[in-house]
Amino acid sequence: MRSPKIQFEHPTQLAASTFLRAVAENDAAAMWEKLSRETRGLLEGLYAARSAVALQHAAGVESSGEDARLAEVVAPLRVSVIAALGGAERMGGFGVSGARLVDRATAYVLLLPDFGEERIVAETDWRPSHLVAFVHESREWLIDLGRTAELSAEADLPNPLGVTR
Protein backbone atom coordinates (compact mmCIF):
# COMPACT_ATOMS: atom_id res chain seq x y z
CA MET A 1 0.00 0.00 0.00
CA ARG A 2 1.43 3.39 -0.96
CA SER A 3 1.59 6.19 1.55
CA PRO A 4 -1.55 8.32 1.60
CA LYS A 5 -1.40 11.99 0.62
CA ILE A 6 -1.66 14.31 3.65
CA GLN A 7 -4.00 17.29 3.53
CA PHE A 8 -3.85 19.70 6.46
CA GLU A 9 -7.16 21.48 5.89
CA HIS A 10 -9.79 18.89 5.07
CA PRO A 11 -13.48 18.49 6.02
CA THR A 12 -12.76 15.19 7.79
CA GLN A 13 -10.96 17.03 10.58
CA LEU A 14 -14.04 19.06 11.54
CA ALA A 15 -16.29 16.02 11.01
CA ALA A 16 -14.20 13.92 13.40
CA SER A 17 -14.17 16.66 16.06
CA THR A 18 -17.93 17.19 15.67
CA PHE A 19 -18.57 13.46 16.00
CA LEU A 20 -16.40 13.14 19.13
CA ARG A 21 -18.16 16.13 20.69
CA ALA A 22 -21.55 14.59 19.86
CA VAL A 23 -20.50 11.32 21.49
CA ALA A 24 -19.33 13.14 24.63
CA GLU A 25 -22.55 15.20 24.82
CA ASN A 26 -24.80 12.21 23.99
CA ASP A 27 -26.18 14.06 20.95
CA ALA A 28 -27.60 11.16 18.93
CA ALA A 29 -28.79 13.34 16.05
CA ALA A 30 -25.36 14.92 15.54
CA MET A 31 -23.69 11.49 15.71
CA TRP A 32 -26.13 10.06 13.15
CA GLU A 33 -25.52 12.91 10.70
CA LYS A 34 -21.78 12.10 10.58
CA LEU A 35 -22.24 8.39 9.75
CA SER A 36 -22.10 6.81 6.28
CA ARG A 37 -25.15 5.08 4.79
CA GLU A 38 -23.52 1.68 5.27
CA THR A 39 -22.75 2.39 8.93
CA ARG A 40 -26.30 3.62 9.50
CA GLY A 41 -27.63 0.43 7.93
CA LEU A 42 -25.41 -1.73 10.12
CA LEU A 43 -26.61 0.09 13.25
CA GLU A 44 -30.24 -0.24 12.16
CA GLY A 45 -29.72 -3.97 11.61
CA LEU A 46 -28.12 -4.30 15.02
CA TYR A 47 -31.05 -2.42 16.56
CA ALA A 48 -33.50 -4.75 14.80
CA ALA A 49 -31.69 -7.81 16.13
CA ARG A 50 -31.46 -6.47 19.69
CA SER A 51 -35.09 -5.32 19.73
CA ALA A 52 -36.44 -8.41 17.94
CA VAL A 53 -38.26 -6.31 15.35
CA ALA A 54 -38.42 -6.84 11.61
CA LEU A 55 -35.65 -5.02 9.75
CA GLN A 56 -38.14 -2.97 7.75
CA HIS A 57 -39.42 -1.53 11.05
CA ALA A 58 -35.89 -0.65 12.17
CA ALA A 59 -34.79 0.91 8.88
CA GLY A 60 -35.12 4.54 7.93
CA VAL A 61 -34.20 6.15 11.25
CA GLU A 62 -34.48 9.92 10.95
CA SER A 63 -31.90 12.28 12.42
CA SER A 64 -34.47 14.94 13.27
CA GLY A 65 -34.57 13.97 16.93
CA GLU A 66 -38.28 13.22 16.62
CA ASP A 67 -37.55 9.57 15.83
CA ALA A 68 -37.72 7.75 19.16
CA ARG A 69 -35.48 4.96 17.81
CA LEU A 70 -32.51 7.24 17.17
CA ALA A 71 -31.03 7.19 20.68
CA GLU A 72 -31.39 3.40 20.90
CA VAL A 73 -29.83 2.87 17.47
CA VAL A 74 -26.67 4.89 18.20
CA ALA A 75 -26.34 3.86 21.88
CA PRO A 76 -24.08 0.81 21.28
CA LEU A 77 -21.77 2.86 19.05
CA ARG A 78 -21.58 5.65 21.64
CA VAL A 79 -20.75 3.17 24.42
CA SER A 80 -18.05 1.58 22.25
CA VAL A 81 -16.43 4.92 21.35
CA ILE A 82 -16.41 6.10 24.96
CA ALA A 83 -14.90 2.80 26.14
CA ALA A 84 -12.27 2.77 23.37
CA LEU A 85 -11.20 6.36 24.07
CA GLY A 86 -11.04 6.01 27.84
CA GLY A 87 -14.25 7.68 29.02
CA ALA A 88 -16.46 10.66 28.18
CA GLU A 89 -14.30 13.02 30.24
CA ARG A 90 -11.28 12.32 27.97
CA MET A 91 -13.14 12.97 24.69
CA GLY A 92 -12.26 16.68 24.60
CA GLY A 93 -8.56 16.00 25.07
CA PHE A 94 -7.98 14.38 21.68
CA GLY A 95 -6.41 16.26 18.80
CA VAL A 96 -7.17 15.42 15.18
CA SER A 97 -4.38 15.10 12.62
CA GLY A 98 -4.40 16.31 9.07
CA ALA A 99 -6.36 14.07 6.74
CA ARG A 100 -4.73 11.15 4.97
CA LEU A 101 -6.27 10.62 1.52
CA VAL A 102 -6.28 6.91 0.64
CA ASP A 103 -8.15 7.36 -2.65
CA ARG A 104 -10.82 9.67 -4.10
CA ALA A 105 -13.53 8.23 -1.84
CA THR A 106 -11.61 7.31 1.32
CA ALA A 107 -9.73 9.38 3.88
CA TYR A 108 -8.81 9.06 7.52
CA VAL A 109 -7.63 11.17 10.43
CA LEU A 110 -5.56 10.10 13.38
CA LEU A 111 -6.65 10.83 16.94
CA LEU A 112 -3.91 12.25 19.13
CA PRO A 113 -4.31 11.61 22.87
CA ASP A 114 -3.62 14.24 25.52
CA PHE A 115 -3.24 16.89 22.87
CA GLY A 116 -3.77 19.83 25.24
CA GLU A 117 -3.86 23.43 24.11
CA GLU A 118 -1.22 23.18 21.40
CA ARG A 119 -2.78 23.53 17.96
CA ILE A 120 0.10 22.68 15.63
CA VAL A 121 2.54 19.92 16.51
CA ALA A 122 5.17 18.25 14.35
CA GLU A 123 4.41 14.61 13.59
CA THR A 124 7.61 13.57 15.31
CA ASP A 125 6.20 14.94 18.59
CA TRP A 126 3.08 12.75 18.79
CA ARG A 127 1.91 9.17 18.56
CA PRO A 128 -1.64 8.51 17.35
CA SER A 129 -3.88 6.36 19.51
CA HIS A 130 -6.69 5.71 17.02
CA LEU A 131 -7.77 6.21 13.42
CA VAL A 132 -11.19 7.30 12.11
CA ALA A 133 -11.97 6.57 8.45
CA PHE A 134 -14.35 8.44 6.18
CA VAL A 135 -16.01 7.74 2.87
CA HIS A 136 -17.10 10.44 0.46
CA GLU A 137 -20.78 10.12 -0.34
CA SER A 138 -23.52 12.61 -1.12
CA ARG A 139 -20.87 15.36 -1.33
CA GLU A 140 -19.85 14.82 2.30
CA TRP A 141 -17.14 12.99 4.19
CA LEU A 142 -18.90 10.56 6.54
CA ILE A 143 -17.51 8.18 9.18
CA ASP A 144 -17.55 4.57 8.06
CA LEU A 145 -17.48 1.69 10.54
CA GLY A 146 -16.08 -0.88 8.10
CA ARG A 147 -13.30 1.27 6.66
CA THR A 148 -12.32 2.42 10.17
CA ALA A 149 -11.94 -1.20 11.29
CA GLU A 150 -10.01 -2.14 8.15
CA LEU A 151 -7.61 0.81 8.17
CA SER A 152 -7.12 0.60 11.94
CA ALA A 153 -6.05 -3.03 11.58
CA GLU A 154 -3.64 -2.12 8.75
CA ALA A 155 -2.12 0.65 10.90
CA ASP A 156 -1.95 -1.65 13.94
CA LEU A 157 -4.14 0.76 15.93
CA PRO A 158 -7.19 -0.12 18.05
CA ASN A 159 -10.56 0.57 16.45
CA PRO A 160 -12.03 3.69 18.11
CA LEU A 161 -15.52 2.68 17.04
CA GLY A 162 -15.01 -0.41 19.17
CA VAL A 163 -16.96 -3.59 19.11
CA THR A 164 -20.60 -2.60 18.76
CA ARG A 165 -23.04 -5.24 19.97
Side-chain angles (χ1 to χ4, degrees):
M1 183 171 112
R2 65 184 176 105
S3 295
K5 179 181 171 189
I6 299 174
Q7 191 168 1
F8 292 104
E9 293 185 26
H10 195 269
T12 55
Q13 295 164 292
L14 179 59
S17 295
T18 301
F19 179 77
L20 292 176
R21 189 175 312 110
V23 169
E25 296 172 356
N26 199 16
D27 184 344
M31 285 177 62
W32 191 250
E33 288 178 11
K34 296 298 175 197
L35 300 175
S36 70
R37 285 189 303 264
E38 181 176 333
T39 299
R40 289 178 183 187
L42 290 168
L43 291 173
E44 288 170 337
L46 182 62
Y47 167 74
R50 280 191 340 264
S51 302
V53 298
L55 189 55
Q56 69 263 22
H57 297 298
V61 171
E62 294 294 326
S63 65
S64 66
E66 296 175 15
D67 193 327
R69 303 171 296 172
L70 182 59
E72 288 184 63
V73 170
V74 298
L77 178 61
R78 180 176 185 271
V79 168
S80 290
V81 171
I82 289 172
L85 298 183
E89 64 282 350
R90 290 201 58 219
M91 301 291 284
F94 282 88
V96 177
S97 75
R100 272 68 173 154
L101 307 176
V102 177
D103 56 45
R104 295 180 71 178
T106 309
Y108 65 89
V109 296
L110 299 167
L111 300 183
L112 314 173
D114 305 320
F115 195 65
E117 295 299 318
E118 187 67 36
R119 296 294 172 229
I120 299 176
V121 179
E123 283 195 38
T124 56
D125 296 336
W126 51 262
R127 177 139 177 91
S129 64
H130 296 83
L131 175 154
V132 178
F134 294 80
V135 293
H136 194 255
E137 61 184 40
S138 304
R139 298 185 192 175
E140 289 185 271
W141 287 97
L142 300 170
I143 295 172
D144 189 78
L145 192 68
R147 290 296 281 159
T148 296
E150 178 184 328
L151 292 173
S152 291
E154 287 178 17
D156 200 26
L157 289 171
N159 182 353
L161 304 181
V163 180
T164 307
R165 293 186 182 168

